[in-house]
Amino acid sequence: MAARLTLGIDLGGTTTLLAVVDAHNAIVWDRRLPTLPEAGFADVGRRIEEAAAEGRARHPYEAVGVAVAAHVDARTGVLVSSPNLAFREVELRPYFERAWELPLAVENDVNAAAYGEYVVASAPREPLLAVYVGTGVGGGLIVDGHVFRGADGFAAEIGHVPVVPEGGEPCGCGRRGCLEAYAGGAAIVRRAAARLGPKGPSLASVDDVARAAAAGEAACRVVLEEAAAALGLGLAAAVNLYNPGTLVLGGGVARGWPDLVPRALERMRAAALPAALHELVTAPAQLGPHAGAVGAAALARELLAAPRLS
Ligand SMILES: [Zn+2]
């Protein structure tokens, strides 16, 4: 069979990445666009269509996967809601199917990224759990070669696992005490700035917090240690619930503070069921910012492999 090309689109809050991927998950063409969601979905969709047409002219792909930073119904291809994009009830699959007349998969971006890490890993032990610590904290779970979504698409939402029993920091989801409210990059910066007060050094990123901690700011050190401890507890809960064979860790916060992952894994190992840890393989994410697009393209390839129903 000829190598079949598929297009993956990662539709994020600020940037949209398109990548045409070959059957070995290698990127043969890519394009980056500002998403500009405030212009509305019709405008975003039109610009994606234009870029995708350019890719198709050079590398004719046969199916498309769309990964989106949103709660999606993967069965119907409907974007249900998205705090990042401020879109609600967008019929993504019908819209893009009309535009391209190609098989089309729609998936949550973190689930797609986890699937991307799964397809590029060499013989990963399953289940594979991928956890990304960026501005927020997200997770995706692959079971028996498929994205495990749960009943409504919220499986592996590790960012909203409670890590304190009562009260705790407010979270973007409306609850308190979630992992993301301690270990997400936005939370780390906000908490460190609040502890330092107006006289402290200005903090714009986790890198700044890590630098201040290294320079002796004890308050920043405490916030970072609490982030690692919270992540470790969340990972321990995930290990006990899912018993993953492979745990992939990625996201920008680990680059800003390189001690995050080792400290969190240490905490996880102290808290999870010892027997669930014996065979657990931990690995850094391989695909970086391309994970969502590569995963979406790989999900699109599955549509080509599936038997046709009609
Ligand atoms: Zn939450």
Side-chain angles (χ1 to χ4, degrees), residues 160 171 173 178:
H160 304 284
C171 181
C173 71
C178 297

Side-chain angles (χ1 to χ4, degrees), residues 137 156-164 171 173 175-182 230-231 233-238 241-242:
V137 181
E157 280 282 5
I158 189 171
H160 304 284
V161 168
V163 292
V164 293
C171 181
C173 71
R175 301 297 191 193
R176 284 181 172 270
C178 297
L179 163 54
E180 180 171 299
Y182 292 87
L231 180 58
L233 289 178
L235 291 173
L241 286 170
Y242 299 129

Side-chain angles (χ1 to χ4, degrees), residues 107 111 114-119 124-130 139-150 155-156 238 241-246 299 302:
E107 187 55 82
N111 287 348
Y115 193 69
E117 295 294 340
Y118 172 78
V119 296
R125 275 190 87 224
E126 290 189 47
L128 178 147
L129 174 67
L141 184 69
I142 309 300
V143 179
D144 294 334
H146 298 285
V147 173
F148 181 83
R149 303 186 181 94
L241 286 170
Y242 299 129
N243 187 196
T246 307
L299 287 165
E302 292 300 304

